[in-house]
């Protein structure tokens, strides 16, 4: 007889394959009855954590005119430009839309419809408004700023903020600065800042310089030259009843001196000025010493410490006179202000 250790059953050779097949069948049947579980049901060690999303920094984009403020053809913007260039035609004493200003045009102070570099350029307006202004002590919109100019530089009455004319002016100003990133002030916007003189600006010297270099356009009386149909001015009045009033920005001597230096006489530019700094300051002093319309400024500069150095009306936070604040010398006032700032800073 054969020993059982040496006998082989007929199915013994198939046993490993049958065992493997049976195991696979059991796993398949069992898996069909296993419920689907979500992430909340899985043990914490089995949850695969997703990486936190990276924080992206939004790139500053050029500010564009609001779509609702302009039509598809840009007609409103072009109307706004025309209003800036020919304000008196629409809003002057003989205006065909309203009669609320002195006959000057916005362009008389904002050259080339507010696009000339250092010609009181509009380039920074879209990017910086609304903004807080010390003069009013409030956050001002572009509409408020435009009406300020109408009341002060055009010595007029405010324009209805909902009028087509106001919407057109705002749309145009926004378009001028549409490529300027928010919060930035492009080079060439506003008015050139002239260095302070070591002396006071001299109206007497300014009168002589005015007679040599300014009379041909603005006249000996400074009342300007009216256009042919007398609806406005070819060359604007620099003083007198039809000029800007005492609340206008150009009534500050530093503003007018910088404006004169880079733009006057006719043909001058910031790259090729024809006046010296001294002549610009003195001409500005002469113009600002001449009579012009008054304005109630009692609500201006609620914080008197925020007044500019050359604001010509008190009271002031310092002891310098109105005359020195108007004509200078300004360096002593600037030094005093700097000392006050240093005194208020905490010790480090």
């Amino acid at each position: 007889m054969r020993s059982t250790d040496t006998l082989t059953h007929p199915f013994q050779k198939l046993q490993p394959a049958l065992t493997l097949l049976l195991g696979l069948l059991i796993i398949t049947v069992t898996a069909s009855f296993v419920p689907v579980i979500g992430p909340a049901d899985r043990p914490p060690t089995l949850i695969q954590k997703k990486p936190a999303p990276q924080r992206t920094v939004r790139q500053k984009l050029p500010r564009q005119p609001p779509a609702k403020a302009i039509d598809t053809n840009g007609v409103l913007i072009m109307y706004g430009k025309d209003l800036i260039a020919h304000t008196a035609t629409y809003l002057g004493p003989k205006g065909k839309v309203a009669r609320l200003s002195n006959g000057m045009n916005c362009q008389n102070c904002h050259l080339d419809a507010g696009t000339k570099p250092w010609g009181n350029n509009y380039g920074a307006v879209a990017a910086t408004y609304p903004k807080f202004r010390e003069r009013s002590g409030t956050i001002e919109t572009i509409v408020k700023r435009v009406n300020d100019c109408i009341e002060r530089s055009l010595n007029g009455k405010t324009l209805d903020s909902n009028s087509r004319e106001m919407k057109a002016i705002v749309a145009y100003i926004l378009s001028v600065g549409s490529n300027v990133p928010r919060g930035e002030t492009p080079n060439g916007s506003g008015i050139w800042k002239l260095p302070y003189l070591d002396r006071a600006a001299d109206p007497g010297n300014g009168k002589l310089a005015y007679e040599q270099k300014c009379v041909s356009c603005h006249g000996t009386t400074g009342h300007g030259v009216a256009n042919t149909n007398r609806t406005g001015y070819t060359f604007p009045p620099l003083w007198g009843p039809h000029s800007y009033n005492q609340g206008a920005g150009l009534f500050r001597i530093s503003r007018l001196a910088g404006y004169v230096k880079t733009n006057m006489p006719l043909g001058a530019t910031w790259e090729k000025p024809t006046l010296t700094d001294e002549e610009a300051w003195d001409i500005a002093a002469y113009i600002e010493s001449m009579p012009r319309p008054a304005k109630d400024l009692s609500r201006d500069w609620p914080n008197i410490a925020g007044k500019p150095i050359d604001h010509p009306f008190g009271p002031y936070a310092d002891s310098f006179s109105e005359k020195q604040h108007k004509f200078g010398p300004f360096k002593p006032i600037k030094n005093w202000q700097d000392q006050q700032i240093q005194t208020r800073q905490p010790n480090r």
Side-chain angles (χ1 to χ4, degrees):
M1 261 181 90
R2 293 179 181 176
S3 169
T4 54
D5 294 333
T6 59
L7 291 177
T8 302
H9 192 276
F11 295 100
Q12 191 171 355
K13 294 180 179 181
L14 298 175
Q15 185 175 357
L18 291 172
T19 302
L20 177 61
L21 181 62
L22 180 61
L24 292 173
L25 181 62
I26 292 171
I27 291 172
T28 303
V29 173
T30 303
S32 66
F33 291 98
V34 176
V36 177
I37 60 176
D41 301 311
R42 293 194 181 106
T45 56
L46 299 180
I47 298 177
Q48 185 178 5
K49 294 183 179 181
K50 295 182 179 181
Q54 294 182 349
R55 181 176 295 178
T56 58
V57 179
R58 183 173 296 177
Q59 184 180 4
K60 291 182 177 180
L61 299 176
R63 185 181 176 91
Q64 299 293 336
K68 63 182 180 180
I70 58 175
D71 56 36
T72 55
N73 297 319
V75 172
L76 196 60
I77 288 177
M78 296 309 298
Y79 182 40
K81 181 178 182 180
D82 204 33
L83 283 162
I84 296 296
H86 307 102
T87 317
T89 301
Y90 299 94
L91 306 175
K94 298 180 181 180
K96 57 186 181 182
V97 173
R99 298 181 178 183
L100 50 79
S101 67
N102 60 5
M104 291 177 64
N105 301 317
C106 297
Q107 185 169 250
N108 293 143
C109 298
H110 302 277
L111 298 178
D112 295 344
T115 63
K116 184 179 180 183
W118 302 117
N120 221 352
N121 184 287
Y122 289 141
V125 177
T128 57
Y129 276 80
K131 73 176 182 181
F132 177 81
R133 298 190 72 224
E134 286 280 5
R135 187 168 72 182
S136 64
T138 63
I139 295 176
E140 296 187 8
T141 63
I142 296 178
V143 170
K144 170 70 167 70
R145 191 69 183 87
V146 169
N147 268 332
D148 262 4
C149 281
I150 293 174
E151 284 190 293
R152 296 164 185 265
S153 297
L154 301 185
N155 195 37
K157 299 177 182 178
T158 58
L159 185 61
D160 183 353
S161 60
N162 293 316
S163 66
R164 183 169 182 262
E165 285 66 38
M166 178 60 83
K167 291 178 180 178
I169 290 172
V170 171
Y172 171 69
I173 292 174
L174 287 173
S175 74
V176 172
S178 62
N179 293 323
V180 181
R182 181 67 189 168
E184 293 189 9
T185 300
N187 192 36
S189 62
I191 294 175
W192 185 275
K193 293 182 179 179
L194 272 187
Y196 293 137
L197 300 179
D198 292 326
R199 59 171 174 83
D202 189 332
N205 290 342
K207 182 176 185 296
L208 296 175
Y210 177 89
E211 290 172 347
Q212 294 171 2
K213 308 198 175 175
C214 309
V215 164
S216 60
C217 291
H218 298 283
T220 56
T221 64
H223 291 183
V225 177
N227 58 22
T228 53
N229 56 10
R230 307 195 71 80
T231 58
Y233 293 93
T234 302
F235 299 104
L238 301 180
W239 64 83
H242 303 294
S243 187
Y244 56 86
N245 64 43
Q246 294 174 333
L250 285 182
F251 191 59
R252 284 175 50 198
I253 190 174
S254 68
R255 304 283 289 167
L256 183 58
Y259 182 82
V260 167
K261 169 72 176 184
T262 54
N263 298 289
M264 302 295 157
L266 189 65
T269 68
W270 68 276
E271 295 173 302
K272 295 181 179 180
T274 61
L275 299 175
T276 65
D277 288 1
E278 289 77 10
E279 286 175 325
W281 278 106
D282 291 341
I283 288 172
Y286 172 62
I287 292 171
E288 306 295 38
S289 69
M290 302 301 284
R292 66 184 61 257
K295 179 175 172 56
D296 179 11
L297 305 179
S298 60
R299 295 184 180 181
D300 284 5
W301 311 105
N303 174 23
I304 61 173
K307 287 184 177 181
I309 287 175
D310 58 339
H311 183 67
F313 302 108
Y316 304 108
D318 55 63
S319 59
F320 297 94
S321 67
E322 282 191 349
K323 183 177 180 180
Q324 185 163 349
H325 275 283
K326 183 170 183 177
F327 297 115
F330 297 114
K331 287 183 179 180
I333 306 176
K334 179 67 166 58
N335 292 338
W336 182 90
Q337 290 185 351
D338 290 344
Q339 290 174 358
Q340 298 307 303
I341 294 173
Q342 292 176 0
T343 302
R344 289 193 296 267
Q345 288 179 344
N347 294 328
R348 297 182 179 179

